[in-house]
């Protein structure tokens, strides 16, 4: 099962020198809310100052007030359409709001104004990646790395794309490069560990342990390690790590499911398997594998009624799911 991998929004630093009424100037020691108050006063006094709207939009994004940020950036652009950074940040804001079309248009406008805008290329690469347009993603990310060969985000995303497209050799090369350049960047060690785990390579443990050293509560890294041991038929080690995951996140559905799977098919303890698989279903009522495997557990216990109910529940989620179809046929 694939873990989710998170991509951060790139924001420009705020604390630029501002001047205004009553000598109120935001400083690094002020909270975001206090800075907003200062900017509100300034904007009230200077409603045509486009840069003030831009500064306030950056604070809104830090506070996850995306719609407010979009509104302020739109105002800034209506006053001054020639400032590329306004369009770049607006592209960020639209992307954060899930509006890929407007994000793309804003970033293209930023590049019209500044053809060397690395942040715009980076964001366009991210948009293309999420759209599964890997060729366009690579094209934009390569423009970033051509200018800045050590750009962490671009290198990491390119490595991730190679991994997604099964180009293991290039994925390993790039992810290792990120790990060498940025030894405190946990996601690179996590991804590289997962990649080695998929190929049952012992190096997986080394890289996943580094990811856990950097973030002891990294359940993705723990899950990759547990799956590594499970795939190598070391269920005791896998079970121990699944318990660690659940100590961190008691609603980790995959950990509950895999514990149930081990009880079902490795240890043959059907009642305990049902308990664990039930917890997985409680975490996600559309967890089709959990429904199907719980049906198998009931089937093996001779409880055809509950087995049929679980197989049917799985088919309500996906009527083509073959393991559930096979389960019903066996009954």
């Amino acid at each position: 099962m694939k873990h989710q991998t998170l991509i951060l929004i790139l924001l420009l630093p705020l604390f630029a020198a501002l001047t205004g009424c009553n000598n109120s100037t935001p400083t690094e020691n002020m909270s975001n809310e206090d800075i907003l108050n200062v900017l509100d006063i300034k904007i009230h006094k200077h409603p045509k100052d486009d840069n003030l709207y831009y500064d306030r939009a950056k604070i809104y994004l830090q506070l996850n007030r995306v719609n407010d940020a979009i509104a302020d950036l739109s105002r800034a652009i209506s006053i001054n359409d020639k400032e590329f950074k306004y369009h770049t940040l607006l592209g960020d804001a639209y992307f954060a709001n899930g509006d890929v079309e407007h994000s793309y248009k804003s970033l293209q406008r930023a590049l019209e104004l500044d053809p060397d805008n690395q942040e715009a290329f980076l964001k366009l690469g991210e948009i293309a990646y999420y759209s599964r347009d890997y060729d366009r993603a690579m094209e934009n990310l390569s423009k970033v790395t051509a200018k800045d060969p050590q750009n962490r985000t671009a290198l990491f995303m390119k490595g991730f794309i190679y991994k997604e497209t099964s180009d293991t050799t290039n994925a390993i090369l790039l992810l290792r490069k990120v790990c060498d350049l940025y030894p405190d960047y946990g996601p690179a060690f996590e991804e590289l560990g997962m990649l080695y785990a998929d190929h049952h390579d012992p190096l997986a443990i080394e890289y996943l342990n580094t990811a856990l050293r950097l973030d002891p509560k990294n359940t993705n890294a723990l899950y990759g390690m547990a799956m590594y041991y499970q795939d190598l038929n070391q269920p005791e080690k896998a079970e121990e790590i699944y318990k660690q995951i659940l100590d961190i996140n008691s609603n980790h559905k995959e950990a509950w499911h895999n514990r149930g799977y081990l009880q079902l098919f490795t240890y043959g303890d059907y009642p305990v398997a049902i308990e664990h698989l039930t917890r997985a279903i409680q975490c996600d009522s559309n967890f089709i594998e959990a429904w199907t495997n719980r049906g198998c557990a009931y089937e093996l216990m001779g409880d055809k009624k509950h087995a049929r109910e679980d197989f049917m529940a799985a088919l309500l989620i996906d009527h083509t799911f073959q393991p559930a179809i096979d389960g019903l046929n066996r009954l």
Side-chain angles (χ1 to χ4, degrees):
M1 297 180 187
K2 293 185 177 179
H3 71 287
Q4 301 296 317
T5 301
L6 185 46
I7 305 289
L8 298 176
I9 298 171
L10 300 176
L11 296 176
L12 297 174
L14 172 63
F15 306 107
L18 300 174
T19 58
C21 62
N22 299 325
N23 295 319
S24 296
T25 302
T27 70
E28 293 186 13
N29 295 323
M30 294 175 65
S31 70
N32 283 334
E33 294 295 344
D34 288 338
I35 295 173
L36 279 182
N37 289 334
V38 172
L39 290 171
D40 288 345
I41 294 170
K42 288 178 173 293
I43 289 171
H44 181 74
K45 187 172 182 178
H46 305 285
K48 297 297 184 181
D49 188 332
D50 47 289
N51 199 57
L52 291 175
Y53 291 107
Y54 171 72
D55 287 331
R56 192 168 68 175
K58 287 187 288 185
I59 298 297
Y60 280 145
L61 280 178
Q62 291 181 20
L63 294 172
N64 202 31
R65 292 172 58 176
V66 180
N67 289 328
D68 289 329
I70 291 172
D72 266 6
L73 289 165
S74 298
R75 291 190 190 100
I77 289 169
S78 69
I79 299 168
N80 176 12
D81 181 58
K82 303 300 183 182
E83 184 58 71
F84 74 87
K85 66 181 181 180
Y86 299 169
H87 295 277
T88 303
L89 195 61
L90 183 58
D92 271 343
Y94 276 130
F95 188 71
N97 223 23
D99 189 341
V100 173
E101 180 181 356
H102 283 96
S103 178
Y104 184 82
K105 289 180 179 178
S106 296
L107 293 166
Q108 287 291 354
R109 176 58 179 157
L111 286 170
E112 289 175 7
L113 296 168
D114 177 24
D116 197 36
N117 188 330
Q118 299 303 296
E119 187 179 353
F121 283 127
L122 199 60
K123 184 58 66 175
L124 285 170
E126 188 176 348
I127 291 172
Y129 167 77
Y130 277 114
S131 301
R132 308 188 77 82
D133 186 348
Y134 295 133
D135 289 339
R136 180 173 291 181
M138 278 295 194
E139 179 184 350
N140 284 291
L141 294 170
S142 293
K143 290 177 181 177
V144 178
T145 53
K147 187 78 172 180
D148 178 8
Q150 296 187 2
N151 186 287
R152 188 183 75 180
T153 302
L155 289 172
F156 178 72
M157 288 185 65
K158 288 174 72 173
F160 201 84
I161 291 170
Y162 282 131
K163 179 183 174 184
E164 289 288 290
T165 54
S166 300
D167 187 344
T168 303
T169 300
N170 278 315
I172 288 174
L173 285 173
L174 274 182
L175 291 171
R176 276 183 170 174
K177 183 175 182 178
V178 177
C179 290
D180 291 341
L181 289 171
Y182 304 100
D184 293 328
Y185 187 55
F189 289 94
E190 176 190 320
E191 287 300 329
L192 194 51
M194 292 288 192
L195 188 58
Y196 280 124
D198 288 342
H199 292 81
H200 303 159
D201 189 319
L203 282 172
I205 301 303
E206 176 184 337
Y207 283 100
L208 291 172
N209 272 329
T210 301
L212 288 167
R213 176 180 59 78
L214 295 169
D215 178 8
K217 293 187 177 182
N218 185 337
T219 55
N220 286 331
L222 284 168
Y223 184 75
M225 191 178 294
M227 285 297 297
Y228 171 82
Y229 286 124
Q230 183 171 332
D231 289 344
L232 290 181
N233 197 28
Q234 299 183 47
E236 296 85 0
K237 288 186 177 180
E239 171 74 8
E240 180 182 345
I241 297 171
Y242 289 134
K243 289 179 180 177
Q244 291 179 43
I245 293 171
L246 292 168
D247 286 339
I248 297 169
N249 176 11
S250 62
N251 292 316
H252 195 289
K253 65 179 183 179
E254 289 88 359
W256 282 117
H257 173 268
N258 288 9
R259 290 187 70 191
Y261 183 93
L262 289 174
Q263 292 297 329
L264 177 58
F265 294 111
T266 300
Y267 301 117
D269 192 334
Y270 307 137
V272 174
I274 288 171
E275 290 178 13
H276 293 337
L277 292 166
T278 298
R279 287 297 302 272
I281 292 167
Q282 289 170 345
C283 294
D284 180 1
S285 61
N286 289 317
F287 198 164
I288 194 168
E289 293 86 359
W291 282 106
T292 304
N293 284 326
R294 195 176 73 170
C296 290
Y298 281 125
E299 178 187 356
L300 291 168
M301 290 179 65
D303 188 342
K304 293 186 178 181
K305 175 180 180 295
H306 283 102
R308 182 175 289 104
E309 289 175 354
D310 277 3
F311 292 141
M312 289 297 296
L315 292 174
L316 286 174
I317 299 168
D318 179 0
H319 70 279
T320 67
F321 193 62
Q322 194 61 46
I325 294 172
D326 293 341
L328 278 178
N329 289 337
R330 289 194 302 270
L331 298 176

